[in-house]
Amino acid sequence: MSERIHRLLYRSEVSIVGTKEEVDAKVDAIVKDAQKRNAAIGVTGALVVVDKRFVQALEGELTTIRSVFERICRDLRHSHVELV
């Protein structure tokens, strides 16, 4: 029997410094890395970046998305992380 799918939604401020082009390139690299890592652990979702703010939905098994969220909370590229 498969696990129930859960969804977690958070928002945070982008703490990456640099020009717009540098920040955009760093965010693109984060997305590519996260897609690979998340696929390996069965997590899906969507990330939106607007005006130096992240909004992301994570979907997957509850303990797995909690673990991903805890890692995000410790990631210095995010500030003011808030569970929605």
Side-chain angles (χ1 to χ4, degrees):
M1 186 173 171
S2 65
E3 294 286 328
R4 278 184 54 191
I5 299 295
H6 294 269
R7 181 177 298 127
L8 181 149
L9 181 68
Y10 77 90
R11 62 183 168 209
S12 67
E13 293 179 18
V14 178
S15 293
I16 301 168
V17 295
T19 66
K20 180 181 179 344
E21 292 77 18
E22 291 169 335
V23 171
D24 288 348
K26 290 176 184 177
V27 169
D28 288 343
I30 291 168
V31 169
K32 287 178 185 172
D33 181 51
Q35 286 173 333
K36 290 177 190 172
R37 187 181 323 111
N38 291 346
I41 60 173
V43 172
T44 61
L47 173 69
V48 177
V49 184
V50 177
D51 296 330
K52 300 215 72 170
R53 304 256 327 152
F54 289 120
V55 177
Q56 185 171 28
L58 299 169
E59 295 181 331
E61 196 274 325
L62 185 59
T63 57
T64 305
I65 61 172
R66 280 183 178 166
S67 176
V68 171
F69 181 65
E70 288 171 2
R71 187 178 69 244
I72 290 166
C73 289
R74 292 187 305 271
D75 189 326
L76 297 179
R77 297 171 294 190
H78 296 265
S79 64
H80 301 99
V81 180
E82 180 181 3
L83 187 60
V84 178

